[in-house]
Amino acid sequence: MYVNMQPFLFHSPTKILIGPDTALSIAEIISELNAKTPLIITDSNLRKAGIVEGIISAIKQANLPIHIFDQVPPDSDLESVEKAVQIAKQNHCDIIIAIGGGSVIDTAKVANIGISLSANALDYEGVNTITCKLMPLIAIPTTAGTGSEVSAVAVIKDKKQKSKLLFGSPFLFPDIAILDPQLLISLPPKLTAACGLDALTHSIEALSALTANYISDGLSLNSMLLMFKHLLTTIKDGSNIDTRLATLVASTMAGLAFTNAGVGIVHALSHTIGSRYGTHHGLTNAVFLPYGMQFNLDVAKAKYALAWRSLAAQEMEKYLGNESAITKYIKANKSEADEKEAAQHFINIVKIFIQECGISINLKSIGITNLKDEDILELANIASTDPAIMFNPKEASVQEIAKIIREAY
Ligand SMILES: NC(=O)c1ccc[n+]([C@@H]2O[C@H](COP(=O)([O-])OP(=O)(O)OC[C@H]3O[C@@H](n4cnc5c(N)ncnc54)[C@H](O)[C@@H]3O)[C@@H](O)[C@H]2O)c1
Ligand SMILES: [Fe+2]
């Protein structure tokens, strides 16, 4: 598949602890990292739902002091980063524990820049601007989607500029990620679906990205298969620990893949629309994914065909039953197809899967109405400069990006 592959670096320094109740071993992990004064960063919903309390008790039992910032909003911004920095500085915290979704983990990463470097985190926006190690960070995801617990990036909103700021550096990899499926039981079905489709977008975009490689492909493909097998069951029954764990691991694998291989045009569009209209990141990715894939089809067909054939080789009826639209589509189209046909089957099944997850693939369904042609062109212009687009396997002109937005509208 790769002819004359260029040398590549695969970087994944985060230690990953996986399994039910693993978050309760937090005190030993803090001690392993030689820290004594933790700052917990989380959000108010998670505190109200009681998700953080077991971890707080475990820290208290170890006689460690605790400081908490629990006001991270969805799609976090520079103001909450600043508040977290202040609490850490006032209390001389020496380790951060982020418990939450991507918004919480990204807030923790950017706050860590401000705390560790005693600087305005905004000065470190962009890629590779950090030059030394930061304070230890433990990431405990409560959604299965962003992969931020193993990624070297953070995305934070600048409310004044109505834009999303990207911070990217190997120093942003969390030291330890704890994947504890118990913490996801309360995640509602719609968010379970939206986050799962964020992870699916990571695996598909990483698979076809310009800097994809043998290792990221393995992670992308296995992540995608786990999502196809287990996301629908998890949406229907959020208390199923086995499928919660499978989708959480899938999301982390997709995170490892994209942080090394990159994403693409779907993320560029999702960042642009999300910062302008406040739509959920995973939901916005889900809307654009089939259109972005169709645009990339001619250059990504070998990878999409590989994904289709991997999926078609699974006995999906064991996971989804014979009546599922996914099982039926695979059975009806299983016979050997040429590469282009196999690639098109993959796009079709992704479309069916998103709809089975209860998500309509148009922007109107996520609340974006009244888009005029001048708005579309302006959005396409912004998306054309989003850092995610540089990994897309095919160059896209502003007009081509505008066409994708019109199709998704
Ligand atoms: N750094 C990265 O690698 C990366 C990758 C993709 C996305 N992101 C960013 O992540 C953010 C989105 O993160 P997200 O999709 O995880 O959503 P989120 O963190 O914004 O959370 C969404 C909502 O779900 C709630 N929630 C979270 N876990 C819950 C649980 N277990 N039970 C009940 N409610 C729960 C939160 O309180 C919040 O209201 C965006 O800002 C996006 O840009 C970052
Ligand atoms: Fe994403």
Side-chain angles (χ1 to χ4, degrees), residues 43-46 49 51 72-76 100-104 106 109 142-149 151-156 164 183-188 191 194-195 198 202 258 267 271 280-282 285:
D43 75 37
S44 56
N45 287 340
L46 293 167
I51 290 170
V72 176
D75 258 340
S76 186
S103 300
V104 165
D106 285 8
K109 287 177 173 175
T142 63
T143 62
T146 70
S148 183
E149 67 279 3
S151 85
V153 295
V155 190
I156 287 288
K164 281 205 170 184
L183 306 181
L184 279 81
I185 283 176
S186 54
L187 191 67
L191 273 169
C195 295
D198 184 19
H202 294 154
F258 90 74
H267 268 79
H271 292 155
H280 181 264
H281 174 73
N285 275 333

Side-chain angles (χ1 to χ4, degrees), residues 102 105-110 113 126-128 130 137 146-156 165-174 202 255 258-260 262-263 267 271 281 387-388 390-391:
I105 298 175
D106 285 8
T107 303
K109 287 177 173 175
V110 180
I113 303 173
V127 177
N128 289 333
I130 304 169
L137 170 64
T146 70
S148 183
E149 67 279 3
V150 290
S151 85
V153 295
V155 190
I156 287 288
L165 308 174
L166 177 88
F167 297 79
S169 161
F171 295 108
L172 290 178
F173 278 115
H202 294 154
F258 90 74
T259 204
N260 282 282
V263 277
H267 268 79
H271 292 155
H281 174 73
M390 65 186 167
F391 302 102

Side-chain angles (χ1 to χ4, degrees), residues 34 54 63 67 74 102 136 141 167 169 188 229 243 245 250 256 300-301 336 354 362 389 404 409:
N34 292 321
N63 290 321
H67 304 283
F167 297 79
S169 161
K229 285 175 183 169
T243 66
L245 182 66
L256 291 167
K301 58 179 181 299
E336 191 47 47
I354 296 169
N362 62 70
I389 211 160
I404 296 176
Y409 185 49

Side-chain angles (χ1 to χ4, degrees), residues 163-215:
S163 63
K164 281 205 170 184
L165 308 174
L166 177 88
F167 297 79
S169 161
F171 295 108
L172 290 178
F173 278 115
D175 295 77
I176 297 190
I178 305 179
L179 310 186
D180 184 340
Q182 300 279 7
L183 306 181
L184 279 81
I185 283 176
S186 54
L187 191 67
K190 186 119 199 231
L191 273 169
T192 301
C195 295
L197 293 171
D198 184 19
L200 185 73
T201 309
H202 294 154
S203 59
I204 293 175
E205 290 213 286
L207 185 68
S208 58
L210 280 180
T211 40
N213 57 65
Y214 290 124
I215 302 178

Side-chain angles (χ1 to χ4, degrees), residues 7 15 51 61 105 118 130 135 138 145 153 194 220 239 272 286 296 300 306 329 348 352 359 373 378 396:
K15 207 165 163 178
I51 290 170
Q61 273 171 21
I105 298 175
S118 285
I130 304 169
M135 215 158 75
I138 301 174
V153 295
S220 294
S239 63
T272 306
N296 284 335
L306 175 67
Y329 186 91
N348 297 348
I352 296 169
I359 292 171
D373 215 56
E378 192 194 340

